[in-house]
């Protein structure tokens, strides 16, 4: 690392410099101020993907409340969700001033009436802890011949991270991800994306083992080249079951428990299809309206899963909710978001801010544009943080070419268990500096040796870890605060 300071510090300084350069250009200056504000703000996470992939449902599942917004107009707009003291919604039409609309809540979520056809964006504020550090964006689906290609590309530059939902993870679906032009932007394009095989409970025609099959498909796909070039990881999730899990009520647990009291051979024929379940009559000891509600909340696969979980020990609402959240894939997705996005917020934001500086230099050419572009290049060239992020993703998906023990150490040294020197070295906080020196030195020695090994993937991974160790040693030399 030849540049002083870490990536976010350098990017922060560069944004300041760009603002000074465009001081006499109010439009560019205002735009850059907005970028600087975003840089300092919460993580901006988009949930996007194919039409009907379950994007809005997943947003509710991530918030843990029914926030999915329905409107009476064309659903061409996108919706931002952020935390606020009380529920409110603001509409941003094309070329008109934003204004507020009253927000209604019903069993299905939130509803806005009177949304104009030219609404570009709706900003929903909703009191929720999960929206405090992450702002969520729900988007219209990307179709194969998306007229909004440009819009999609712009959207991808406006957010720090993306969940891309597809019901199949097919090459055709992934082809809807807007292309990124070459250079460093393309090289870092996968860092902020997780692919989600959505509506996982419906995989293989909603068979009994649908969730398992979906998870297997995601695990296989995440090692295939067309997936690895576009995302950090691929996971299977049932947003429907995940949402039900996070909002499970006592009466719903009771209904599942009632089904669970029936002997398995008696219940199973009724769980073979939605029609059979609906037509079960008295045989399943639940009245038709409760059966229907349960179907709406969990789907047939979810009901099957929930009864199995109750039978195998989920004895109350909390236990069933926890187990459903795990089996739905939601818990794993939340962990991946925490690991790959939230914990790396500053690095992801740095990427977006660098793109913004590059963009303004191209869009508003002036005497200092070449200088700004050169600065972006310098910052990117010294950004070991991007390499670390790529390595952590490779380790998660077992693509790094390192055996078990080494992989765990690589993860820790690259900051996967936390970014401080203490966490990276796996030593207690407040350890004396000599101790840190010793550990970092020994680690560097070990990884210098690993970096000579034959397997190219493993060698590349080891080089990144070695660089992390050397960066720590340099940090210790400079006496930079280590917490
Ligand atoms: N079985 C099942 N159904 C789901 C799941 N997620 C969503 N759905 C259903 O699929 C339909 C579409 O869900 P949405 O969440 O509105 O999907 P979307 O991607 O936001 O749709 P658009 O915004 O219209 O592109 C609804 O009927 C949902 O109840 C899921 O995980 N499992
Ligand atoms: Mg939607």
């Amino acid at each position: 690392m030849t540049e002083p300071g870490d990536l976010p510090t350098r990017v922060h300084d560069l944004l300041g410099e760009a603002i000074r350069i465009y001081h006499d250009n109010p439009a560019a200056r205002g735009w850059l101020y907005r970028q600087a504000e975003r840089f300092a703000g919460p993580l901006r996470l988009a949930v996007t993907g194919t039409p009907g992939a379950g994007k809005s449902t997943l947003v509710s599942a991530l918030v843990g409340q029914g926030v999915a917004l329905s409107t009476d107009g064309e659903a061409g707009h996108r919706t931002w969700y952020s935390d606020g003291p009380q529920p409110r919604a603001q509409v941003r039409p094309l070329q008109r001033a934003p204004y507020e609309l009253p927000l209604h809540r019903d069993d299905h979520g939130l509803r806005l009436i009177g949304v104009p056809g030219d609404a570009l964006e709706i900003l929903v504020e909703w009191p929720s802890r999960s929206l405090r550090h992450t702002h969520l964006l729900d988007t219209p689906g990307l179709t194969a011949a998306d007229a909004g290609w440009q819009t999609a590309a712009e959207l991808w530059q406006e957010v720090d991270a993306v969940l891309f939902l597809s019901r199949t993870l097919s090459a055709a679906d992934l082809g809807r991800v807007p292309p990124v032009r070459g250079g460093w932007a393309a090289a870092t394009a996968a860092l902020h994306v997780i692919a989600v095989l959505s509506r996982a409970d419906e995989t293989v025609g909603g068979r009994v083992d649908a969730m398992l099959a979906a998870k297997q498909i995601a695990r296989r796909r995440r090692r295939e080249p067309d997936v690895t070039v576009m995302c950090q990881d691929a996971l299977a999730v049932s947003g429907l079951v995940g949402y039900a899990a996070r909002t499970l009520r006592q009466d719903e647990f009771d209904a599942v428990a009632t089904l669970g009291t029936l002997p398995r051979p008696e219940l199973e024929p009724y769980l073979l299809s939605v029609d059979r379940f609906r037509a079960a009559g008295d045989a399943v000891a639940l009245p038709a309206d409760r059966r229907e509600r349960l179907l709406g909340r969990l789907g047939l696969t979810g009901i099957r899963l929930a009864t199995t979980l109750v039978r195998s020990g989920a004895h109350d609402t909390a236990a069933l909710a926890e187990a459903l959240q795990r089996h739905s894939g939601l818990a794993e997705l939340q962990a991946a978001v925490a690991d790959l996005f939230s914990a790396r917020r500053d690095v992801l934001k740095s990427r977006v801010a660098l793109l913004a500086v590059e963009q303004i230099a191209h869009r508003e050419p002036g005497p200092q544009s070449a200088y700004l572009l050169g600065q972006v290049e310098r910052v990117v060239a010294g950004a070991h943080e991007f390499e670390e992020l790529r390595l952590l993703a490779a380790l998660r998906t077992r693509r790094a070419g390192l055996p078990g023990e080494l992989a765990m150490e690589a993860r820790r040294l690259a900051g996967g268990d936390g970014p401080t020197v203490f966490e990276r070295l796996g030593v207690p906080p407040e350890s004396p500096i000599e101790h840190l020196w010793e550990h970092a030195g020994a680690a560097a020695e070990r990884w210098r040796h690993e970096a000579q090994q034959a397997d190219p993937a493993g060698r590349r991974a080891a080089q990144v870890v070695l660089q992390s160790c050397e960066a720590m040693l340099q940090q210790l030399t400079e006496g930079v605060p280590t917490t």
Side-chain angles (χ1 to χ4, degrees):
M1 306 227 337
T2 49
E3 296 279 325
D6 58 0
L7 176 67
T9 311
R10 277 174 277 148
V11 170
H12 175 269
D13 294 348
L14 182 57
L15 270 173
E17 212 170 348
I19 289 172
R20 273 194 299 282
I21 287 175
Y22 285 98
H23 192 259
D24 294 333
N25 178 339
R29 195 184 59 214
W31 189 81
L32 282 165
Y33 267 124
R34 239 187 350 271
Q35 304 302 319
E37 231 171 78
R38 285 180 188 168
F39 183 68
L43 184 84
R44 294 157 62 86
L45 173 62
V47 179
T48 186
T50 55
K55 302 178 292 296
S56 305
T57 306
L58 185 63
V59 166
S60 286
L62 289 169
V63 177
Q65 295 183 57
V67 292
L69 184 73
S70 53
T71 59
D72 52 344
E74 280 277 307
H77 57 261
R78 49 209 217 188
T79 311
W80 275 105
Y81 296 92
S82 60
D83 177 42
Q86 60 215 13
R88 58 188 276 242
Q90 191 186 58
V91 178
R92 297 208 158 158
L94 184 70
Q95 295 177 341
R96 283 187 291 145
Y99 61 94
E100 292 216 5
L101 272 180
L103 198 55
H104 306 276
R105 183 161 201 197
D106 60 26
D107 278 354
H108 303 290
L110 306 178
R111 173 163 273 285
L112 268 190
I113 299 165
V115 173
D118 64 345
L120 283 181
E121 229 175 35
I122 297 176
L123 311 184
V124 173
E125 279 186 19
W126 191 260
S128 161
R129 218 156 45 100
S130 42
L131 291 170
R132 203 158 300 162
H133 300 294
T134 306
H135 290 179
L136 284 175
L137 175 65
D138 188 4
T139 66
L142 292 169
T143 59
D146 205 327
W149 189 254
Q150 185 56 33
T151 328
E154 279 165 18
L155 179 137
W156 281 56
Q157 285 188 16
E158 272 191 35
V159 296
D160 305 315
V162 174
L163 298 178
F164 183 84
L165 272 60
S166 147
R167 295 175 68 181
T168 57
L169 289 188
S170 66
D173 279 2
L174 299 187
R176 296 179 199 188
V177 172
V180 184
R181 64 198 158 69
W184 74 272
T188 58
L191 295 182
H192 67 313
V193 183
I194 294 176
V196 176
L197 195 166
S198 60
R199 299 177 66 162
D201 54 297
E202 294 176 320
T203 308
V204 292
R207 254 175 21 205
V208 184
D209 58 346
M211 290 296 309
L212 267 183
K215 286 178 184 174
Q216 265 163 10
I217 294 171
R219 254 197 297 273
R220 175 170 54 75
R221 288 290 280 143
R222 74 184 185 184
R223 287 154 171 264
E224 290 174 355
D226 62 328
V227 175
T228 57
V229 297
M230 60 86 56
C231 65
Q232 294 245 50
D233 203 352
L235 298 166
V237 177
S238 166
L240 186 76
V241 177
Y243 171 62
R246 289 200 68 188
T247 53
L248 196 70
R249 294 191 308 254
Q250 180 67 40
D251 62 311
E252 290 165 341
F253 170 79
D254 293 341
V256 173
T258 305
L259 293 178
T261 57
L262 293 175
R264 199 184 288 262
E266 239 174 76
L267 179 65
E268 240 148 52
Y270 297 108
L271 293 180
L272 286 176
S273 74
V274 170
D275 288 342
R276 284 188 189 215
F277 188 60
R278 283 200 173 118
D282 295 339
V284 296
L286 267 190
D289 59 331
R290 290 188 73 190
R291 262 178 287 149
E292 202 56 42
R293 272 210 305 278
L294 215 50
L295 268 178
R297 286 279 282 162
L298 286 165
L300 197 62
T301 312
I303 296 177
R304 265 195 234 113
L305 176 63
T307 45
T308 307
L309 291 170
V310 164
R311 282 197 184 109
S312 53
H315 287 313
D316 57 26
T317 311
L320 179 60
E322 195 274 324
L324 278 176
Q325 201 168 328
R326 200 155 24 86
H327 283 266
S328 68
L330 182 64
E332 202 184 339
L333 178 66
Q334 287 170 313
V337 168
D339 231 27
L340 297 173
F341 296 164
S342 309
R344 302 276 147 169
R345 173 183 157 274
D346 291 350
V347 178
L348 296 177
K349 282 193 173 287
S350 297
R351 178 181 174 277
V352 177
L354 285 165
L355 283 173
V357 173
E358 212 176 56
Q359 200 181 333
I360 201 82
H362 285 299
R363 214 174 59 200
E364 305 277 345
Q368 302 261 46
S369 308
Y371 166 77
L372 267 186
L373 290 173
Q375 289 298 85
V376 169
E377 225 168 87
R378 262 186 53 201
V379 172
V380 170
H384 178 56
E385 289 87 343
F386 290 144
E387 297 289 335
E388 282 186 342
L389 214 48
R390 235 191 307 269
L391 172 65
L392 290 175
L395 288 166
R396 276 181 74 84
T397 52
R398 305 215 174 90
R399 284 182 272 123
L402 294 175
E405 289 258 310
L406 275 180
M408 273 170 60
E409 187 184 338
R411 186 188 138 82
R412 176 165 54 67
L413 289 168
D417 295 342
T420 67
V421 171
F422 306 110
E423 288 163 314
R424 285 171 184 259
L425 294 175
V427 297
E430 322 281 310
S431 296
I433 191 136
E434 312 80 63
H435 202 101
L436 300 177
W437 258 107
E438 211 173 288
H439 275 267
E445 200 48 48
R446 219 161 34 247
W447 285 92
R448 198 164 292 123
H449 172 73
E450 288 301 326
Q452 320 269 324
Q453 64 169 24
D455 170 0
R459 198 163 56 224
R460 181 76 206 103
Q463 280 161 355
V464 177
V465 181
L466 173 59
Q467 220 178 323
S468 299
C469 295
E470 285 170 348
M472 271 188 280
L473 286 169
Q474 184 171 342
Q475 205 181 339
L476 292 169
T477 318
E478 290 166 0
V480 173
T482 43
T483 47

